[in-house]
Amino acid sequence: MDDTDKLVVSALLANGRASWTAIAEALDLTESTVRRRGTRLMESGLLAVTVLENPYRAWGGWPLLLIPRARPDRTLRLAHQLARMYPVKTVWVLDNGEIFALVHPRHRDERNDLTLRHQPLISDLVDLRTLPVLRAYTLAGPPQPPLLTAAQTDLVRHPYGAPGLAPGPRLDADEQHLVEALAVDGRMSFARLAAATHTSSATAQRRLDRLRRGGGAEIATVVDRCQVGLDVQAVFFIQCDPATLPDTVKQLTSRTAVHLAAAVTGPDNLIAAVAVSHTDDVYRLQADVLPGLPGYRHARVHLVTTFIKESGMVYRDGHWQTIEP
């Protein structure tokens, strides 16, 4: 990617469905340039826009964090096996050899199959921690795109922002069909989206706006973040006072480029992931930001060494690929 490509990617990280016109205005480029660059990046597989459904509302269950550990020579094999499963939305390998996997089980049996009965996985396991996600504050792309000013970000960001993924009413069949169509192509035009969901363009637009406004789904842009200068990704396993958890998360997400924040069970009751430019940024978070958060006790931090799956898209041979249900 050249500098112009990186700017277009940064705009799509801010809002994967931003119009080419809005992106061109924000970046002070011609619409034809922005459209050509963005289309080329997506057609080449270097960039993908998808949708991440709210698991509390789509399936009526709860998401899980699986932290399996395999023998060192089997770690990547286990990670790729997990990535091939549709309910597994994110798979990273951490610097301590553990695998970090975010799962959206669609029903109880699917959850039990993953955690208790899946023989190909069990045969490689040395250890497995299962952490139910009690509240997902965000599970999609970085809130502060790299390379853009705050003013540029405001020009392209969706007006509803990212309201979070709190529990709420179950998605109806029409909304679920909309999510399934957008999982393949998150920038699908409203005309194509209407055809895929057997409705009108106006209805498709109204339903998608309602989903994004109410937290039923988030549009997620996936890219190799190193391409836009985010060379380091870190996962923080934080222990804080449960009584201050909402304030802790609010301050953490307002002061850092957190793109995953979730309250989980267990002693480390808050999981947060950041994408930054340098390990020194991780150091400053650990030394300066975290100790100042309300209710903070301590944290463990691990760097991500290998990205295998993001927001339901598998990264293989430098390209993002969809996993079908």
Side-chain angles (χ1 to χ4, degrees):
M1 296 186 190
D2 63 19
D3 290 343
T4 301
D5 289 335
K6 293 174 183 178
L7 286 170
V8 173
V9 170
S10 293
L12 290 171
L13 285 170
N15 179 7
R17 286 190 64 86
S19 69
W20 299 127
T21 302
I23 294 175
E25 180 182 352
L27 302 181
D28 196 22
L29 297 170
T30 66
E31 182 178 345
S32 61
T33 295
V34 169
R35 182 187 299 274
R36 183 175 67 255
R37 297 298 188 102
T39 301
R40 177 178 58 79
L41 288 167
M42 287 186 289
E43 289 179 348
S44 69
L46 294 174
L47 172 78
V49 179
T50 184
V51 69
L52 193 65
E53 76 277 3
N54 183 335
Y56 303 104
R57 295 180 57 185
W59 315 121
W62 64 82
L64 303 170
L65 277 176
L66 297 184
I67 314 289
R69 181 187 290 275
R71 296 195 333 240
D73 62 329
R74 296 296 184 93
T75 298
L76 287 178
R77 168 180 141 149
L78 177 58
H80 283 286
Q81 285 180 320
L82 283 168
R84 286 195 291 269
M85 299 178 184
Y86 177 77
V88 180
K89 300 301 180 181
T90 296
V91 180
W92 304 328
V93 179
L94 305 182
D95 58 8
N96 65 345
E98 290 182 330
I99 298 167
F100 183 99
L102 175 65
V103 188
H104 292 186
R106 289 169 289 184
H107 44 75
R108 182 179 300 176
D109 288 343
E110 190 168 64
R111 182 180 71 239
N112 291 341
D113 283 342
L114 274 167
T115 57
L116 300 174
R117 294 191 288 265
H118 204 288
Q119 294 303 318
L121 302 185
I122 292 172
S123 64
D124 283 342
L125 282 178
V126 172
D127 183 43
L128 173 64
R129 286 186 292 146
T130 303
L131 306 177
V133 177
L134 304 178
R135 175 64 61 88
Y137 301 98
T138 181
L139 298 176
Q144 181 57 51
L147 308 181
L148 299 189
T149 66
Q152 288 174 318
T153 302
D154 288 341
L155 288 172
V156 295
R157 195 187 294 279
H158 192 267
Y160 306 130
L165 299 175
R170 289 284 295 274
L171 302 187
D172 61 30
D174 292 332
E175 291 172 326
Q176 190 61 56
H177 291 155
L178 198 74
V179 168
E180 291 170 357
L182 289 169
V184 178
D185 178 6
R187 285 188 63 84
M188 185 180 294
S189 69
F190 287 116
R192 288 178 54 214
L193 194 55
T197 55
H198 308 291
T199 188
S200 68
S201 296
T203 299
Q205 182 172 1
R206 186 172 62 251
R207 286 174 179 165
L208 179 56
D209 283 346
R210 185 173 67 237
L211 278 174
R212 298 182 76 180
R213 180 174 64 249
E218 290 186 10
I219 298 296
T221 300
V222 291
V223 66
D224 178 357
R225 295 190 180 103
C226 294
Q227 297 274 8
V228 288
L230 299 175
D231 295 327
V232 179
Q233 179 152 315
V235 180
F236 290 85
F237 296 81
I238 304 168
Q239 185 180 115
C240 61
D241 184 347
T244 66
L245 193 55
D247 289 336
T248 305
V249 172
K250 184 177 180 180
Q251 291 197 28
L252 177 65
T253 54
S254 67
R255 297 175 63 184
T256 62
V258 170
H259 60 90
L260 184 152
V264 299
T265 59
D268 298 329
N269 53 353
L270 176 61
I271 309 295
V274 298
V276 292
S277 300
H278 194 273
T279 52
D280 192 56
D281 298 316
V282 178
Y283 171 80
R284 285 197 295 269
L285 285 173
Q286 190 173 26
D288 300 334
V289 175
L290 293 182
L293 297 178
Y296 173 80
R297 294 174 180 168
H298 68 80
R300 296 181 296 112
V301 58
H302 292 288
L303 303 185
V304 179
T305 62
T306 308
F307 301 87
I308 295 174
K309 194 174 188 181
E310 294 265 4
S311 300
M313 306 287 286
V314 172
Y315 193 58
R316 184 180 295 124
D317 299 326
H319 300 84
W320 295 98
Q321 302 174 23
T322 304
I323 295 292
E324 297 294 335

